[in-house]
Amino acid sequence: MTKDAPESLIQIARASGESDETPPVDLGARVRELRKGRNWTLEQAAKQAGLARSTLSKIENGQMSPTYDALKKLAVGLEISVPQLFTPPAADKINGRMAVTKSGEGAAKATTTYEHELLGDTLRKKQMLPYRARIRARSMDEFDGWVRHDGEEFLYVLTGVVQLFTEFYEPVELRRGDSAYYDATMGHNVISTSAEDAMILWVTSLA
């Protein structure tokens, strides 16, 4: 991996200081939450699921491990799928996030071939890494081999003219308003063929 590849940018975007592992769901607490979310009493929920009240109470209190048949009855009664019994509630997920990056205020990450400006940099655990790049390179000789990294990538030309080189395709010229979407594990490099440095928008998937 060349130092000019966006690997370091991806690592920066993924770094959050938090574990990506999701803790196991407490089935009893999850069932109780689903029941209360429907404003059902134990009796109502047990009747809906076709289970004894005492059985449902023991499940909610972690006093017994339900059989798969009981899990299926619970899921049907709660009108959800069995996997949803073990899925954290949507309320625990981060929703409604937004980050605004004013022109020229993105975090700068310069290299010999590209000058990156990270966009939406204040958001952690993003699914995409958007950044604007000034293309300084004028020749493939300026790269230490192909750039490769995980994910998919979208490129959109803002100004100037670029040439996109990829490992498995012929080079393609892209002008203002042109775009390309490609598998980023395939070797790729971009150079500017215009007199001035070209500007492009890059969006790389992080998931």
Side-chain angles (χ1 to χ4, degrees):
M1 175 69 71
T2 172
K3 65 178 180 179
D4 296 323
E7 180 185 23
S8 60
L9 302 185
I10 295 173
Q11 291 172 339
I12 290 170
R14 284 177 173 159
S16 66
E18 302 171 5
S19 172
D20 288 332
E21 296 181 1
T22 302
V25 172
D26 182 329
L27 178 62
R30 175 69 167 144
V31 171
R32 184 185 303 109
E33 179 183 47
L34 289 167
R35 173 176 64 80
K36 290 186 175 181
R38 289 160 175 73
N39 293 316
W40 289 349
T41 63
L42 270 171
E43 289 80 1
Q44 289 174 315
K47 184 177 180 180
Q48 284 288 121
L51 297 172
R53 180 191 182 282
S54 59
T55 298
L56 181 57
S57 177
K58 288 178 180 178
I59 291 173
E60 287 193 2
N61 291 306
Q63 296 174 351
M64 70 172 289
S65 297
T67 63
Y68 183 70
D69 184 58
L71 288 174
K72 286 196 295 183
K73 288 182 177 180
L74 271 174
V76 171
L78 293 168
E79 299 177 337
I80 61 174
S81 66
V82 172
Q84 285 178 290
L85 288 171
F86 301 93
T87 303
D92 287 344
K93 297 179 181 178
I94 301 173
N95 295 309
R97 302 192 305 162
M98 184 175 77
V100 175
T101 305
K102 295 288 188 177
S103 178
E105 294 183 1
K109 303 291 179 182
T111 69
T112 56
T113 53
Y114 303 140
E115 183 178 324
H116 302 301
E117 181 187 2
L118 301 183
L119 308 174
D121 191 42
T122 57
L123 287 184
R124 290 186 166 188
K125 302 182 80 67
K126 294 189 289 289
Q127 299 301 307
M128 300 180 294
L129 171 61
Y131 53 101
R132 185 165 52 188
R134 178 183 297 277
I135 310 302
R136 293 173 169 174
R138 293 298 193 279
S139 168
M140 281 286 287
D141 294 335
E142 297 180 50
F143 295 89
D144 181 21
W146 291 112
V147 170
R148 294 188 185 89
H149 51 87
D150 292 339
E152 298 180 317
E153 200 156 70
F154 175 75
L155 177 161
Y156 183 89
V157 182
L158 299 172
T159 64
V161 183
V162 302
Q163 195 165 21
L164 170 62
F165 291 85
T166 55
E167 193 171 7
F168 306 127
Y169 296 87
E170 290 296 318
V172 58
E173 182 178 271
L174 300 172
R175 296 176 174 272
R176 180 179 179 181
D178 292 341
S179 63
Y181 189 109
Y182 49 90
D183 177 1
T185 61
M186 171 179 64
H188 56 280
N189 291 320
V190 178
I191 68 171
S192 176
T193 57
S194 50
E196 71 282 3
D197 292 343
M199 297 291 294
I200 65 175
L201 172 68
W202 249 319
V203 181
T204 301
S205 66
L206 296 172

